[in-house]
Amino acid sequence: MEEVALLKDEEDARKLAATLLAGVELARQDHIKTRNPRQLYLCCTQLLPDPHRDTPWQLLYESQNDCAFITTMGIDTQTFELILTSGFASQWYQKPITCPDINSHGIPCLNWHSLNAGGALGLILHYLNSTMQETSLQQIFALIPSTFSRYLTSGLPMLLQTLCSMADARIQWPQGPAFEWCSALMIAHHPRLQGAFGSIDGLRLPVQTSEDDEIENATYNGWLSEHFISSVITFSAEGVVIATRINAPGSWHNSRLTSILNFNSTHLLTTTLLLILPSLILHGSAAEMVEQMVFNRKLLSYCQTAEWSMQAIQGAFGRLRLPLNITNEEAHSNLIEVCLWLHNLRATHIRINQIWTVYMKIWQATEDDMDVW
């Protein structure tokens, strides 16, 4: 009888402990709801249980379908693997994730990573190539908001460093044979534009309104009545970025940004400016004015390539269409740089570009041209 009573007391004690624990947990959840009624976010219970298995991202990656990769991330499967093997994967596994309470020089705990290197790269590319809300990306990759934010903060600089080491993505001014090659490509379609080799155009990106009056005034564009940051981008005849000046105040005119681009010679600067400054005042004899008009038409025709290249950037990287965070200059500067370097990689490997669609018909007109390409 004593043993039976003892067992009954133990069972009652367990039930009481379970009831107390359940009450404590319910009180904690109720406290969370009433403490931050306006802070809405996803928790683990609202997401898929394992980021490594059966998530929408895992299904996409396992398909290894070029069309699906280009649609969602802007690059094909081969280029995706190229970025991984060019340094991104090694950085992801060797560097700790940015976090205030973690030693930045410590050894990363790979077993605790919610995403492997491929998942991290996929997350960043999804983020750059879309305008979707962060909650949608959290559902796709099964990440809570804090993990999502840390992975983006850590991954973007890693991707930028990787792209800087890749020759096909590099932003560099053409020299010697590369310059002659770009000039020959242009002259093949526009014989009158002797010495020209590329085009230049301005890019305005929306930013948030700063609380600092000086910054707010500098980024305000009176013509468009909005806040922007300005950039000037120079494209080669192949649609690749070869020079740029980014992250300038939106109140600056493009001509001011162009004047501080670091060209390597006066001749190159002159030929580049000729691409955007056709003669607006005709003078001379009738024959000379006709020739000037023909020259201007050819000039304006090629200037369209700058618009195509700019559309390739803005169309591919939807994140640039959303207002950038004005309080973190380094972050939005890195984001713009990553997009430009990725554009070069896309132009070199994917070649979904209006320039290739239109001009390659001229550059590959003969069998000899096809052999060269």
Side-chain angles (χ1 to χ4, degrees):
M1 295 294 293
E2 293 180 359
E3 294 180 358
V4 173
L6 182 61
L7 292 174
K8 186 176 180 181
D9 291 341
E10 289 180 356
E11 185 177 354
D12 291 340
R14 291 195 200 97
K15 291 181 179 178
L16 178 60
T19 304
L20 290 174
L21 289 175
V24 169
E25 179 61 22
L26 290 173
R28 189 179 72 85
Q29 294 294 337
D30 186 64
H31 177 66
I32 291 174
K33 293 179 181 179
T34 57
R35 181 183 59 184
N36 298 316
R38 296 186 180 180
Q39 292 187 9
L40 307 177
Y41 49 86
L42 296 175
C43 299
C44 292
T45 54
Q46 290 91 49
L47 299 170
L48 292 173
D50 189 355
H52 298 284
R53 257 182 288 177
D54 299 330
T55 63
W57 157 249
Q58 290 293 335
L59 295 177
L60 172 65
Y61 181 75
E62 291 170 3
S63 73
Q64 289 296 298
N65 182 277
D66 284 338
C67 181
F69 270 57
I70 294 174
T71 301
T72 57
M73 295 181 286
I75 58 176
D76 57 16
T77 55
Q78 185 177 359
T79 308
F80 186 90
E81 294 300 325
L82 177 63
I83 296 175
L84 283 178
T85 57
S86 295
F88 184 85
S90 61
Q91 291 188 72
W92 184 256
Y93 293 133
Q94 294 173 7
K95 295 182 178 180
I97 303 301
T98 303
C99 190
D101 58 350
I102 292 180
N103 182 7
S104 59
H105 302 287
I107 299 175
C109 300
L110 300 183
N111 293 334
W112 290 9
H113 280 191
S114 297
L115 295 177
N116 58 14
L121 179 58
L123 172 65
I124 297 170
L125 293 177
H126 272 79
Y127 177 79
L128 295 175
N129 282 265
S130 70
T131 58
M132 72 174 68
Q133 294 183 353
E134 294 182 358
T135 52
S136 299
L137 289 172
Q138 292 162 20
Q139 291 176 307
I140 292 173
F141 290 86
L143 298 176
I144 59 175
S146 58
T147 303
F148 171 84
S149 176
R150 289 169 186 168
Y151 280 11
L152 274 183
T153 303
S154 301
L156 273 172
M158 294 181 189
L159 178 56
L160 178 59
Q161 186 175 347
T162 301
L163 293 172
C164 290
S165 66
M166 300 175 66
D168 290 341
R170 192 168 300 155
I171 298 176
Q172 59 182 357
W173 196 254
Q175 300 288 339
F179 171 77
E180 298 297 335
W181 171 250
C182 289
S183 181
L185 292 178
M186 183 183 296
I187 293 174
H189 192 68
H190 302 285
R192 286 179 168 81
L193 303 182
Q194 296 291 327
F197 62 94
S199 54
I200 188 169
D201 197 8
L203 173 66
R204 291 188 181 91
L205 299 176
V207 293
Q208 298 172 350
T209 304
S210 174
E211 296 180 357
D212 187 300
D213 292 339
E214 185 175 350
I215 298 177
E216 190 275 337
N217 184 61
T219 57
Y220 184 76
N221 186 295
W223 181 261
L224 300 174
S225 301
E226 292 291 347
H227 293 84
F228 297 93
I229 55 174
S230 298
S231 302
V232 166
I233 304 174
T234 307
F235 301 95
S236 73
E238 298 175 291
V240 175
V241 177
I242 57 177
T244 182
R245 176 68 166 86
I246 65 172
N247 215 24
S251 57
W252 287 17
H253 192 269
N254 289 342
S255 60
R256 181 176 181 182
L257 295 178
T258 304
S259 65
I260 57 179
L261 277 173
N262 294 321
F263 295 105
N264 292 338
S265 75
T266 304
H267 173 69
L268 298 182
L269 175 62
T270 303
T271 53
T272 303
L273 290 180
L274 281 175
L275 293 175
I276 60 171
L277 297 176
S279 176
L280 300 179
I281 302 177
L282 302 179
H283 53 82
S285 64
E288 291 174 341
M289 287 191 289
V290 170
E291 177 61 25
Q292 289 180 36
M293 292 179 64
V294 173
F295 177 82
N296 283 348
R297 282 197 293 269
K298 291 294 183 181
L299 194 58
L300 292 174
S301 175
Y302 185 76
C303 281
Q304 183 62 39
T305 61
E307 299 294 337
W308 291 339
S309 297
M310 202 63 74
Q311 176 58 33
I313 294 175
Q314 294 177 288
F317 303 104
R319 193 59 52 177
L320 296 178
R321 298 197 294 271
L322 300 180
L324 301 174
N325 185 2
I326 193 63
T327 61
N328 194 337
E329 181 180 351
E330 181 181 1
H332 69 244
S333 178
N334 286 343
L335 188 145
I336 297 171
E337 282 194 69
V338 166
C339 291
L340 294 180
W341 289 77
L342 277 174
H343 166 78
N344 279 3
L345 200 61
R346 283 168 48 87
T348 306
H349 287 262
I350 312 302
R351 296 180 178 177
I352 300 179
N353 192 312
Q354 193 74 7
I355 291 178
W356 286 84
T357 304
V358 174
Y359 282 86
M360 290 307 294
K361 296 177 181 179
I362 305 298
W363 298 334
Q364 296 183 343
T366 66
E367 293 183 0
D368 292 337
D369 293 336
M370 293 294 294
D371 292 338
V372 170
W373 285 97

